[in-house]
Amino acid sequence: MRTYLVTGGAGFIGSNYIHYMLKKYGDEIRVINVDKLTYAGNLENLKDIEKRENYVFIQADICDSEKINHIFEENEIDRVVHFAAESHVDRSITDPEIFVKTNVLGTSVMLNAAKKAWEQPDGTFKKDKKFLHVSTDEVYGSLENSDEFFYETTPYDPHSPYSASKASSDMLVKSYIDTYRFPANITNCSNNYGPYQFPEKLIPLIINNSLQGKKIPVYGDGKNVRDWLYVEDHAKAIDMVQEKGKLFEKYNIGGHNEKQNIEIIHIILETLHNMLPEDDARKSRINESLITYVTDRKGHDRRYAISPDKMKKETGWVPDTMFSEGIRLTVKWYLDHQDWMKNVTSGEYQNYYKKMYDAKTE
Ligand code: NAD
Ligand code: TDX
């Protein structure tokens, strides 16, 4: 039975990936989820699978080399899928250091532990071991509307402390591939959306604020463009890279679904309006009057757009979920899981929101 070590599996994409894998492979695989449980990690995301015999959760910091090495010593790990990271750009602007620590040092610890466990006396690696480093399109920088796409060959040009730390971690993985022929892949994906996303990110923040009758903060002119992918399609892509991709290669993942932020806001307002029942008191409040333009994000990247051509050609991956369907599923999920939202937005989230947004709207 193949064993997957998933880091950051209690976060947004990690938990969706674990659900996807256990649904696809059932009891044929074993999953070890290693997560520190920062503000972004939530075991509620995995409630329905926590009792499975082929799933284990270990609370650990990826920067803790002793603990991480111990996990490799105690288990025959076949695949590492490395999601754990600090992931929010705005937080990286106010507090960059933790991004360097988790994203760069943490990745270094993961690489060293896997190398130590998998390397053979002659310097080659045990058969069929694979490390997949999950990264982002933000490492490529920012495009103008007249530019085309980010390709795997596009030079890195990160602007935020978040993207700089992810770019550094990508380079570290690349150096292990180039130096040791370490069996790894790097994937760079566009903006994900879907169930279990923490409401510091644009889409769940719009949904939550709308339902609360709170203003929807739009940075700058609202015309920044992101390329949105339904999270399950990202999970599928990661699996396909490990199953069908070429080892040592880097793959861009995206669904050619570019939208301005303001378009996203209009779509969500309309979807919510259509989905709420007539007698729901919130329905009449959900309209464009909630949209509020606020001070722009510092160093705000204008446009991300990714070419998934290599991914399609070499692995056959194509996204299954069109944006119109994905956003409907997402809004429905948040409407059906209002307790989840309540739990993650009580307590510390209130302080975060005040700190981030009071200054922007003054
Ligand atoms: P997230 O913030 O929702 O989850 C991150 C998870 O990592 C949390 O469960 C957190 O507890 C855990 N974690 C943080 N620091 C840790 C540490 N030191 N040790 C162990 N666990 C730790 O993030 P996400 O949106 O799910 O992103 C996952 C990965 O995908 C990240 O590497 C991110 O850079 C990348 N990515 C995200 C997107 C996106 O749109 N969200 C797009 C492309 C790539
Ligand atoms: O309140 C807001 N208002 C607003 O206008 C927030 C939170 C965001 N925005 C804008 C900023 C961006 O142009 O919306 C866009 C999307 O913002 P985020 O959801 O913060 O995502 P982004 O900065 O694009 O980064 C995301 O995609 C790539 C993820 O957070 C990263 O983890 C991933 O690597």
Side-chain angles (χ1 to χ4, degrees):
M1 189 192 273
R2 193 187 274 173
T3 298
Y4 285 75
L5 192 167
V6 177
T7 71
F12 163 49
I13 308 176
S15 59
N16 276 285
Y17 171 78
I18 292 176
H19 280 120
Y20 175 84
M21 292 297 282
L22 289 175
K23 201 161 129 201
K24 177 166 180 196
Y25 293 101
D27 292 336
E28 284 170 34
I29 60 166
R30 192 162 79 99
V31 174
I32 302 175
N33 174 14
V34 174
D35 197 299
K36 183 181 173 182
L37 298 183
T38 68
Y39 78 91
N42 184 355
L43 289 179
E44 244 191 273
N45 300 358
L46 298 152
K47 201 104 207 99
D48 52 332
I49 54 123
E50 69 184 5
K51 296 209 167 70
R52 285 182 74 124
E53 282 192 8
N54 58 338
Y55 169 79
V56 185
F57 172 69
I58 301 175
Q59 184 166 8
D61 185 338
I62 54 164
C63 298
D64 183 341
S65 57
E66 208 174 302
K67 256 196 187 166
I68 299 297
N69 277 310
H70 186 69
I71 295 169
F72 276 90
E73 280 154 21
E74 294 289 300
N75 300 278
E76 184 63 47
I77 306 292
D78 302 296
R79 299 277 191 270
V80 174
V81 182
H82 177 39
F83 293 98
E86 287 292 334
S87 70
H88 191 39
V89 174
D90 291 328
R91 288 184 194 257
S92 83
I93 295 167
T94 52
D95 187 11
E97 220 168 277
I98 182 73
F99 284 72
V100 179
K101 194 163 179 256
T102 299
N103 300 359
V104 187
L105 180 64
T107 300
S108 156
V109 167
M110 290 308 303
L111 286 167
N112 281 333
K115 178 173 175 287
K116 192 170 163 208
W118 295 346
E119 199 170 28
Q120 303 179 115
D122 66 356
T124 62
F125 290 88
K126 289 185 192 163
K127 223 173 141 259
D128 207 27
K129 304 290 186 188
K130 293 182 184 176
F131 186 112
L132 190 140
H133 176 62
V134 180
S135 191
T136 169
D137 59 1
E138 300 201 22
V139 297
Y140 297 118
S142 179
L143 297 166
E144 293 301 326
N145 289 340
S146 55
D147 293 336
E148 42 166 38
F149 305 111
F150 297 135
Y151 294 96
E152 285 80 358
T153 48
T154 303
Y156 277 23
D157 184 22
H159 299 298
S160 71
Y162 163 69
S163 51
S165 67
K166 290 298 290 188
S168 309
S169 64
D170 291 13
M171 290 301 174
L172 211 49
V173 179
K174 181 181 179 300
S175 78
Y176 274 57
I177 294 173
D178 294 348
T179 307
Y180 310 110
R181 289 299 275 173
F182 179 75
N185 289 103
I186 300 168
T187 56
N188 296 84
C189 189
S190 60
N191 284 54
N192 285 212
Y193 69 99
Y196 303 111
Q197 189 168 29
F198 192 77
E200 63 188 354
K201 307 282 166 54
L202 183 69
I203 288 182
L205 188 138
I206 301 169
I207 298 172
N208 185 41
N209 283 20
S210 303
L211 289 171
Q212 304 285 317
K214 274 169 69 176
K215 292 182 171 156
I216 299 169
V218 187
Y219 297 167
D221 64 3
K223 292 186 178 156
N224 298 65
V225 172
R226 297 293 182 264
D227 189 350
W228 295 94
L229 183 73
Y230 192 58
V231 63
E232 202 170 281
D233 280 320
H234 187 187
K236 181 176 107 171
I238 288 170
D239 183 41
M240 286 183 82
V241 166
Q242 289 202 318
E243 293 312 302
K244 301 202 164 136
K246 294 186 193 138
L247 203 55
F248 315 117
E249 289 289 318
K250 175 174 169 45
Y251 291 95
N252 282 353
I253 303 168
H256 278 311
N257 181 58
E258 290 181 51
K259 296 238 178 312
Q260 292 184 345
N261 295 335
I262 194 70
E263 286 179 73
I264 297 282
I265 294 170
H266 285 298
I267 293 169
I268 292 175
L269 285 174
E270 197 188 328
T271 311
L272 270 172
H273 198 83
N274 292 340
M275 270 188 194
L276 282 173
E278 286 307 323
D279 60 355
D280 192 310
R282 295 169 298 183
K283 196 174 170 101
S284 61
R285 290 199 313 249
I286 296 181
N287 58 53
E288 293 180 4
S289 69
L290 294 176
I291 297 173
T292 312
Y293 287 87
V294 301
T295 313
D296 206 355
R297 173 184 279 174
K298 289 190 174 103
H300 197 175
D301 287 337
R302 191 64 179 168
R303 173 175 164 244
Y304 303 144
I306 201 150
S307 163
D309 293 355
K310 179 176 173 184
M311 193 59 206
K312 283 183 187 162
K313 193 163 163 245
E314 294 188 10
T315 72
W317 174 86
V318 282
D320 290 327
T321 308
M322 299 289 291
F323 188 73
S324 53
E325 173 64 357
I327 204 70
R328 200 189 61 74
L329 291 172
T330 303
V331 170
K332 181 163 186 335
W333 187 88
Y334 282 100
L335 284 175
D336 291 346
H337 294 81
Q338 293 184 51
D339 282 352
W340 181 94
M341 186 63 95
K342 218 172 174 179
N343 290 344
V344 301
T345 54
S346 62
E348 197 39 52
Y349 181 79
Q350 298 301 326
N351 299 333
Y352 164 81
Y353 199 89
K354 216 172 149 28
K355 184 174 154 204
M356 281 291 172
Y357 290 95
D358 278 4
K360 286 189 193 294
T361 45
E362 270 163 13

